[in-house]
Amino acid sequence: MEVGNALLASSGLQKGSEKMRNNTTLICVPIMGEAIAKMMVDMDKAKANGADLIEIRLDSLKNFNPYEDLKVLIKESPLPTLITYRPKWEGGLYDGDENKRLDVLRLAMDLGAHYIDVELQVARQFIDTISGKKPENTKIIVSSHNYQYTPSVEDLGNLVARIQETGADIVKIATTAVEITDVARIFQITVHSQVPVIGLVMGDRGIISRILCAKFGGYLTFGTLESGVVSAPGQPTLKDLLSPYNFRQIGPDTKVFGIIGKPVAHSKSPILYNEAFKSVGFNGVFVHLLVDNIANFLRTYSSSDFAGFSVTIPHKETALKCCDEVDPVAKLIGAVNCIIRRSADGKLIGYNTDYYGAISAIEDGLRGKHNSGSITGSPLAGRLFVVIGAGGAGKALAFGAREKGARVVIANRTYERARELANTVGGDALALADLDNYHPEDGMILANTTSIGMQPKVDETPISKHALGSYSLVFDAVYTPKMTKLLKEAEESGATIVTGLEMFIGQAFEQYEHFTGLPAPKEIFRNTMANY
């Protein structure tokens, strides 16, 4: 990374700003105001919030007077500047004369811009015209954008060579992720390149490229000032990069963990684990992993760098088949929500911590209500326990409740799946449509393990309010939002409620210990989640 350090220094960044860094990857904030005044305000915000440099997107300006405006933007910028004037044919907003556009980039260079971004298609022509005139402190980034897919490693390697041949100081490749496995090819190119590379993968499946580029030696990443105000699909915010992701602390030896799911963006796991890692000084980072095919994912990210994963809907049952060894409890449940890559031999070991998290949270809820902390045995013993859902989490709760001596009933949209799970745990089955009229006794326990009621469909509930009067405790595995419609109506009906957040924290204790080999910092977990 000597090249990266030299370029970091030449960009105008002071050595002091490198303190506490484990990488030289810069965080660049795209500035896309329609007016110069708005851009100036945003530039100050970027500096105040910890950015290293700013990308001034000239194509976003409504009225642009090149000489006057560039002089202000470059001379008065509180941070080093990257000037981009992206044409429509490369995904930008500029739709004017091409020669005038390139003239503006040359002017920006003359006025002292630290970086100029030029598209590969016109790079050779542009660089030829500035031969011998380029200031020492200006670096030319030559960029290529692919808005459809991510090419093969061979094609990416050829693309890097083509960009280098133009005379580029820095290579920038932005591709699009069709699947999360595409990102691995960009990591491969970045880590093995002999020249500075900005390698980013656009879209929700490519977000890890924007965080883990710090591990694999990427030259810079982009972080936005506001959520949703992006210059390319999938950009995280500057705030998120710095915390929860602790971007400055990510280095070549950082272990990668993440939550595998679809959907997955709602998960609070990265907030929880990254805060815990930081608090104890553990060299790891935890990311969202939007995965379509878990077997492909685990095959592709097979190095020891990718050390462990949480697994959520809909992959828990398939995950079990992908593991080399499975914990006996997880095998009985038939689902895995935690995978560890064993450092000794690289084998994948599967566990189920949903069982522990949910059942202990429900038991605590029952003990609290009946003030029976001194009574030995489980407060679930002998109770009628209705589980909604027959997927991975449903299996975990059904198995856990049976182990504690409860009588288990499975309610599922597809009756056949309910019957199948009920047979496995020695319980009864119902179609979900029949649950509203199911009332064999009072004081039952209800556990929703489906995604019904999860954001954005917060007005949905798996059971009507009038039926909730038969239950003494209602648990919902959904924790976004924390108070689902089901829980609100259960509370109004007089039931004790247990939120998915309590299960989430309980199962996370055990996962953290599997991930790190350290005792879970339980107070930190509780305090972190209390803020969300």
Side-chain angles (χ1 to χ4, degrees):
M1 287 310 297
E2 284 173 24
V3 172
N5 282 318
L7 288 164
L8 187 73
S10 74
S11 72
L13 293 164
Q14 298 305 306
K15 283 286 174 196
S17 67
E18 292 176 60
K19 279 180 186 169
M20 302 301 294
R21 287 187 181 211
N22 289 332
N23 63 69
T24 59
T25 305
L26 307 175
I27 302 178
C28 179
V29 170
I31 304 290
M32 299 178 300
E34 293 185 353
I36 298 294
K38 171 76 166 92
M39 282 191 165
M40 297 305 295
V41 169
D42 287 348
M43 286 154 76
D44 287 335
K45 273 191 203 165
K47 161 94 172 174
N49 288 319
D52 296 312
L53 71 153
I54 50 179
E55 178 189 37
I56 297 171
R57 285 293 298 260
L58 298 177
D59 51 307
S60 71
L61 286 166
K62 287 291 184 212
N63 295 302
F64 178 43
N65 179 332
Y67 185 77
E68 294 303 322
D69 292 345
L70 275 175
K71 202 160 59 168
V72 171
L73 289 167
I74 294 168
K75 303 291 184 195
E76 295 186 26
S77 170
L79 289 169
T81 50
L82 158 56
I83 302 295
T84 302
Y85 203 8
R86 191 76 74 219
K88 276 201 167 172
W89 51 261
E90 188 81 357
L93 298 171
Y94 179 78
D95 200 18
D97 181 81
E98 189 60 17
N99 289 326
K100 283 183 182 170
R101 186 177 77 86
L102 297 180
D103 284 343
V104 167
L105 292 177
R106 278 186 283 271
L107 176 61
M109 185 184 73
D110 293 340
L111 288 170
H114 294 84
Y115 301 89
I116 305 290
D117 183 312
V118 187
E119 300 73 23
L120 174 58
Q121 198 170 315
V122 295
R124 192 183 287 277
Q125 169 199 346
F126 178 84
I127 290 170
D128 285 349
T129 66
I130 60 168
S131 179
K133 301 175 199 164
K134 182 165 83 75
E136 186 60 35
N137 72 335
T138 300
K139 301 292 173 194
I140 304 295
I141 299 171
V142 173
S143 57
S144 167
H145 297 78
N146 185 324
Y147 292 96
Q148 277 74 50
Y149 64 97
T150 299
S152 66
V153 169
E154 186 182 356
D155 287 346
L156 286 169
N158 292 335
L159 181 58
V160 170
R162 274 178 59 212
I163 292 174
Q164 274 184 270
E165 282 164 13
T166 66
D169 296 306
I170 299 165
V171 171
K172 178 185 173 190
I173 296 173
T175 66
T176 299
V178 178
E179 286 197 40
I180 195 169
T181 48
D182 297 345
V183 184
R185 302 199 283 281
I186 288 287
F187 288 154
Q188 205 172 328
I189 288 296
T190 308
V191 82
H192 290 119
S193 180
Q194 300 304 304
V195 296
V197 173
I198 301 164
L200 300 169
V201 187
M202 297 179 281
D204 292 343
R205 289 165 176 77
I207 286 171
I208 57 168
S209 71
R210 299 176 179 280
I211 299 160
L212 300 181
C213 58
K215 174 178 172 64
F216 295 107
Y219 187 78
L220 66 75
T221 193
F222 293 92
T224 65
L225 281 180
E226 293 172 58
S227 181
V229 184
V230 299
S231 60
Q235 286 173 348
T237 64
L238 169 62
K239 190 176 169 209
D240 283 349
L241 284 172
L242 294 173
S243 175
Y245 293 115
N246 306 320
F247 188 85
R248 306 282 193 218
Q249 279 67 56
I250 299 171
D253 300 327
T254 300
K255 293 292 183 192
V256 179
F257 302 87
I259 177 153
I260 294 171
K262 185 183 178 184
V264 78
H266 65 280
S267 172
K268 300 290 188 288
S269 294
I271 292 164
L272 189 71
Y273 289 107
N274 286 321
E275 187 58 40
F277 291 165
K278 184 164 67 173
S279 71
V280 301
F282 178 79
N283 189 11
V285 63
F286 195 101
V287 293
H288 288 112
L289 300 164
L290 178 55
V291 171
D292 298 283
N293 182 314
I294 188 170
N296 280 352
F297 173 85
L298 293 168
R299 255 195 312 274
T300 303
Y301 296 97
S302 59
S303 80
S304 59
D305 285 327
F306 292 83
F309 309 100
S310 303
V311 184
T312 189
I313 295 167
H315 297 303
K316 294 183 184 189
E317 290 160 284
T318 314
L320 184 139
K321 298 171 192 155
C322 298
C323 293
D324 299 300
E325 294 173 24
V326 178
D327 179 74
V329 174
K331 201 173 276 183
L332 276 169
I333 294 168
V336 152
N337 78 321
C338 177
I339 299 174
I340 304 301
R341 192 181 304 283
R342 193 161 57 200
S343 55
D345 56 11
K347 287 193 183 306
L348 297 175
I349 318 301
Y351 300 92
N352 192 305
T353 68
D354 282 337
Y355 152 78
Y356 168 82
I359 295 299
S360 58
I362 290 167
E363 286 180 325
D364 288 348
L366 287 168
R367 288 192 183 102
K369 178 152 189 178
H370 302 295
N371 200 19
S372 54
S374 59
I375 295 173
T376 54
S378 172
L380 285 170
R383 306 291 287 272
L384 192 61
F385 193 104
V386 178
V387 178
I388 302 175
K395 286 179 178 176
L397 263 90
F399 173 83
R402 188 202 71 182
E403 288 296 291
K404 298 291 186 175
R407 295 168 290 136
V408 178
V409 175
I410 311 297
N412 194 57
R413 275 183 177 146
T414 314
Y415 175 77
E416 289 71 26
R417 285 204 75 190
R419 180 74 267 157
E420 198 180 314
L421 177 53
N423 288 343
T424 308
V425 296
D428 292 322
L430 278 177
L432 185 56
D434 297 331
L435 189 58
D436 280 359
N437 301 315
Y438 181 73
H439 181 180
E441 62 188 67
D442 286 328
M444 299 185 289
I445 293 156
L446 182 69
N448 174 41
T449 69
T450 72
S451 59
I452 298 169
M454 187 168 86
Q455 281 173 351
K457 298 180 179 176
V458 294
D459 293 328
E460 293 183 1
T461 179
I463 182 173
S464 61
K465 186 175 181 179
H466 77 81
L468 291 170
S470 308
Y471 297 91
S472 63
L473 181 143
V474 174
F475 161 79
D476 197 341
V478 171
Y479 68 90
T480 51
K482 182 179 174 181
M483 277 300 283
T484 58
K485 184 176 181 182
L486 171 65
L487 291 180
K488 281 179 197 155
E489 292 185 345
E491 194 169 47
E492 287 162 7
S493 304
T496 297
I497 61 167
V498 176
T499 70
L501 204 56
E502 289 161 67
M503 168 192 174
F504 173 69
I505 291 171
Q507 59 84 31
F509 290 158
E510 210 173 317
Q511 289 206 31
Y512 178 91
E513 292 178 1
H514 285 310
F515 289 155
T516 65
L518 303 168
K522 295 187 177 181
E523 275 313 297
I524 289 165
F525 273 35
R526 287 201 173 94
N527 292 340
T528 301
M529 294 320 294
N531 296 326
Y532 289 88

